[in-house]
Amino acid sequence: MPTLILVRHGRSTANTEGLLAGRTPGVALDERGTTQAAALPGRLAGLPISEVVTSPLQRCEETVRPLLDARPGLRAHTDERIGECDYGDWSGRKLAELKDEPLMEVVQAHPTAAAFPGGESMREMQHRAAEAVREWNARVERDHGADAVYLMCSHGDVIKSLVADALGLHLDLFQRISVEPCSITAIRYTRLRPFLVRLGDTGDFASLAPREEPPGGDAPVGGGAGAP
């Protein structure tokens, strides 16, 4: 079965403003995110990518555009099932104010029980994304062969949930996974099991350096802004 390259979108204006963008339209890449996207074709230069699938949101479309420009034979397929989690009434709100919501503790510690008011549950998010991957695996193998490589550009929580699915990890533990903006995660699928062969690879280690304000124990909902 194929190898899936999961790319989280580049850093967005919502990331730098501390907003939970969700499905809010018009959220673009910021200057750093645009630079990250421009570097993506070089980072993937050695891979024979057969298909590109993207979330319908602007920040994902902007992330894959340089790759598509560099490979005129590729075109992007849009799949709503790998779109951002529907955070409902939380969408567009400051993460700093959401941390005091009682639901946030559930999101952190027991995400299988977390359903966003006016939106979807985290279980639903994982299910639709995993179904999309399984269907695309079959399609890519049929059209390009069992050794094909294809790419999906999606969002932090969606990618974390797909990694958890690949590892057989309960969704309640998926907040232990971290994927920064424009990071590359690779999963090789086989008949018996998937293999996680890359996780959150950005090509630099700046995010590992000590910070003036050390990160807390909570996972960044939506994926966080990455290295400062």
Side-chain angles (χ1 to χ4, degrees):
M1 295 179 71
T3 295
L4 170 60
I5 306 298
L6 286 162
V7 177
R8 185 182 167 203
H9 61 79
R11 196 174 74 176
S12 72
T13 53
N15 293 144
T16 47
E17 292 169 8
L19 299 175
L20 185 63
R23 298 181 179 181
T24 305
V27 177
L29 299 183
D30 68 6
E31 184 176 354
R32 180 171 180 171
T34 301
T35 300
Q36 291 170 333
L40 198 56
R43 294 170 64 197
L44 298 172
L47 291 178
I49 297 171
S50 58
E51 301 280 0
V52 172
V53 187
T54 182
S55 156
L57 291 171
Q58 178 178 338
R59 54 197 183 271
C60 286
E61 293 175 345
E62 290 178 348
T63 298
V64 299
R65 191 169 298 146
L67 178 64
L68 298 174
D69 289 345
R71 302 194 189 196
L74 280 178
R75 68 181 184 89
H77 305 271
T78 300
D79 194 324
E80 293 185 357
R81 295 173 297 175
I82 62 166
E84 179 63 285
C85 184
D86 185 355
Y87 298 115
D89 298 343
W90 278 26
S91 300
R93 291 180 61 187
K94 287 275 189 185
L95 287 164
E97 69 181 40
L98 288 171
K99 68 180 179 62
D100 295 325
E101 293 276 357
L103 178 60
M104 183 59 86
E105 185 177 11
V106 181
V107 170
Q108 292 291 326
H110 189 22
T112 51
F116 296 97
E120 68 179 338
S121 70
M122 302 200 99
R123 295 189 318 278
E124 290 169 329
M125 173 196 72
Q126 183 186 46
H127 177 75
R128 61 170 165 81
E131 284 299 303
V133 166
R134 286 169 174 80
E135 288 183 23
W136 276 101
N137 280 349
R139 177 173 171 175
V140 169
E141 181 173 7
R142 180 196 67 205
D143 294 345
H144 302 283
D147 295 326
V149 178
Y150 75 106
L151 181 147
M152 282 185 168
C153 185
S154 188
H155 307 267
D157 282 346
V158 175
I159 293 173
K160 287 161 56 178
S161 77
L162 289 172
V163 171
D165 176 75
L167 291 175
L169 190 69
H170 198 285
L171 186 62
D172 281 345
L173 302 179
F174 98 130
Q175 298 289 26
R176 301 182 182 196
I177 299 165
S178 176
V179 289
E180 292 194 7
C182 223
S183 62
I184 293 172
T185 293
I187 302 171
R188 181 173 294 125
Y189 289 88
T190 73
R191 186 174 63 85
L192 295 180
R193 63 182 63 84
F195 293 90
L196 179 66
V197 292
R198 292 288 188 281
L199 176 61
D201 187 344
T202 62
D204 82 52
F205 297 98
S207 64
L208 302 181
R211 303 185 187 183
E212 291 183 9
E213 295 184 9
D218 285 345
V221 179

